[in-house]
Amino acid sequence: MQTHPETFQPSNQEDLAGKHIVLGLSGGIACYKSAQLCRSLIKAGATVQVVMTEAAEQFITAVTMQALSGRPVYTSQWDSRPDNNMAHINLSREADAILIAPLSADFMAKLLHGRADDLLSLMCLARPLASVPLLLAPAMNREMFAHPATQRNFEQLAADGAHVLGVGSGFQACGETGDGRMLEPDQLLDDLIAFFTPKHLAGQHVLVSAGPTYEAIDPVRGITNLSSGKMGFAVARAAREAGAEVTLVAGPVGLAAPRGVNRIDVKSAQDMLDALLPLAERSTIFIATAAVADWRVASPAAQKIKKEGSGQPPQLSFSENTDILATIAQGPRAKAGRLFCVGFAAESEDLLLNAKAKLLRKQVPLLVGNIGPDTFGQDHNALLLVDAEGSLALPRAPKLVLARTLIREIAARMARQ
């Protein structure tokens, strides 16, 4: 079963468990997105303290943000609720991170120059630099965003240690179209989760293959399989969260690319091989999750094959496809130890026996087995990691959870090389 992008929602319920986020809102129409962002952060396990500027209150009410966060909203540096009357100190010391979303051009200039004339800017200036990171989600008109002063400000804020997130492109409230939109709440959530993820693969170039291949019989028919690509897409996301530069080569699936991952779409096994071979020469890790067809029709028909009334099916002859994993794993780069290859085996029975056999046949340092009929098209899976030392079973869990565990296992094995 192939799944539409909107239905691909890996579980992230506990991704931010134990994290306390100060969500700052400066003035801008994008404040409406901050309401959903607040809710998403809480669903991911974080606690959220909202701080709003006077300008932000022109776009969304403190009552709304209090209802969503479950905490009183702070709007003034003169707030007398803290016993010491120092909300800017107390709030910043309690935070694991401060996220300003939206960040207006005006508030960005305040941060750049160290101005502190309201609670939110005071708090940003007073935060402990070594322990409370500042993340910024800009939102402004396309001309404001492109202005040289704005771009200089971004560069200086980054040099000062702030983490400037990207912007979206599209239709803006002013009626114009271009760069400068605040990222969507789910994108900001993904960025925040990635920010807190240990960077086990920093400096690595990870290549992932995912999904099925499609082998044409004629222009309207073909041979494929039930792989949805969800496991491979989760692996690509987990690798990116762990700090790697990630390229995902995907067969025909209906999934949205993970944020921050370079995606290349292919169709047949030959297409996938042609895309992967040059990329493998620039990669340090190759994770072959794709369910590649072993066979293809030797001579696909140029036109649709029609029934002739004889009751006999068409006679098809097949050719064997090149074994992509074995080709890359036995290439000079992998043999020299510069490319760590991980294979996947989708079996229907005798998982350990078949996985061990495939490990030897493919000559890879790590083979990941799963029972295909139990996982195709689903959001959960169970994995068996097999190497020369033995095997490790990962019990059934969301595919993203398993992918993150797999990435840690790969990083640990590479560290021992």
Side-chain angles (χ1 to χ4, degrees):
M1 178 180 68
Q2 296 184 1
T3 308
H4 197 267
E6 286 78 2
T7 69
F8 179 53
Q9 298 291 339
S11 172
N12 57 13
Q13 186 173 357
E14 300 300 325
D15 286 346
L16 295 178
K19 299 299 183 185
H20 180 64
I21 309 300
V22 170
L23 177 59
L25 279 64
S26 63
I29 189 61
C31 281
Y32 82 91
K33 294 183 181 180
S34 302
Q36 180 59 50
L37 174 60
C38 177
R39 194 64 174 167
S40 296
L41 292 170
I42 290 172
K43 285 183 177 180
T47 56
V48 179
Q49 176 60 63
V50 177
V51 178
M52 299 172 61
T53 65
E54 182 179 352
E57 291 186 89
Q58 301 299 311
F59 295 92
I60 194 170
T61 69
V63 172
T64 296
M65 299 308 297
Q66 179 174 337
L68 293 171
S69 66
R71 288 171 170 258
V73 174
Y74 284 81
T75 60
S76 171
Q77 71 264 43
W78 311 118
D79 196 309
S80 61
R81 282 174 292 180
D83 292 338
N84 60 1
N85 206 19
M86 295 183 183
H88 63 295
I89 300 296
N90 302 342
L91 296 179
S92 66
R93 300 304 186 270
E94 295 168 356
D96 289 297
I98 298 172
L99 171 61
I100 311 297
L103 172 76
S104 67
D106 174 67
F107 198 81
M108 178 179 58
K110 278 188 181 184
L111 294 178
L112 179 75
H113 293 289
R115 289 177 55 193
D117 58 357
D118 61 14
L119 176 58
L120 187 56
S121 56
L122 269 169
M123 189 179 61
C124 292
L125 192 64
R127 84 186 199 282
L129 293 176
S131 59
V132 182
L134 177 63
L135 290 83
L136 306 174
M140 61 195 72
N141 167 265
R142 64 184 182 89
E143 296 291 356
M144 297 169 67
F145 177 75
H147 196 283
T150 301
Q151 296 302 313
R152 285 197 304 271
N153 289 349
F154 283 146
E155 292 176 7
Q156 186 58 54
L157 284 170
D160 290 344
H163 300 270
V164 182
L165 306 177
V167 296
S169 182
F171 184 74
Q172 300 183 332
C174 59
E176 298 180 356
T177 300
D179 294 337
R181 288 169 53 92
M182 189 173 91
L183 294 172
E184 299 305 315
D186 60 337
Q187 294 175 314
L188 291 173
L189 177 63
D190 286 352
D191 282 352
L192 197 59
I193 291 169
F195 178 82
F196 283 114
T197 300
K199 299 300 180 277
H200 297 303
L201 294 185
Q204 301 293 337
H205 296 257
V206 176
L207 177 61
V208 181
S209 66
T213 60
Y214 178 91
E215 310 301 326
I217 295 174
D218 61 25
V220 297
R221 301 184 184 93
I223 300 170
T224 186
N225 58 63
L226 295 174
S227 174
S228 66
K230 289 182 178 182
M231 191 70 235
F233 276 58
V235 168
R237 172 177 169 174
R240 183 255 176 180
E241 290 176 345
E245 178 183 324
V246 183
T247 300
L248 173 65
V249 177
V253 298
L255 301 176
R259 181 158 168 74
V261 169
N262 178 42
R263 174 177 178 173
I264 298 172
D265 289 318
V266 297
K267 195 170 186 179
S268 69
Q270 187 62 49
D271 295 338
M272 185 169 283
L273 177 65
D274 291 342
L276 288 170
L277 284 177
L279 292 169
E281 292 302 311
R282 304 192 296 270
S283 301
T284 56
I285 300 171
F286 173 45
I287 307 175
T289 76
V292 182
D294 293 324
W295 304 86
R296 68 182 184 277
V297 176
S299 299
Q303 303 299 330
K304 178 183 176 182
I305 301 173
K306 299 183 182 298
K307 292 188 292 186
E308 298 176 346
S310 65
Q312 297 298 314
Q315 298 300 307
L316 300 177
S317 60
F318 292 87
S319 298
E320 187 174 4
N321 281 322
T322 302
D323 189 320
I324 294 176
L325 175 59
T327 298
I328 293 176
Q330 295 168 25
R333 185 171 177 81
K335 289 294 187 181
R338 298 196 302 273
L339 179 65
F340 187 91
C341 293
V342 180
F344 266 67
E347 304 293 343
S348 60
E349 59 180 351
D350 296 329
L351 182 57
L352 179 58
L353 181 65
N354 286 315
K356 285 182 176 179
K358 190 169 186 177
L359 177 78
L360 296 175
R361 189 169 65 252
K362 304 288 187 177
Q363 298 182 37
V364 294
L366 179 61
L367 199 288
V368 183
N370 58 189
I371 298 297
D374 291 345
T375 183
F376 286 149
Q378 300 186 33
D379 293 326
H380 291 68
N381 199 356
L383 301 179
L384 183 67
L385 276 56
V386 180
D387 61 17
E389 305 300 321
S391 62
L392 172 65
L394 303 183
R396 193 167 182 81
K399 289 182 176 178
L400 182 56
V401 173
L402 294 173
R404 289 169 175 159
T405 303
L406 175 60
I407 290 300
R408 291 194 295 271
E409 289 289 332
I410 292 171
R413 284 166 169 77
M414 293 186 67
R416 294 196 295 265
Q417 285 186 335

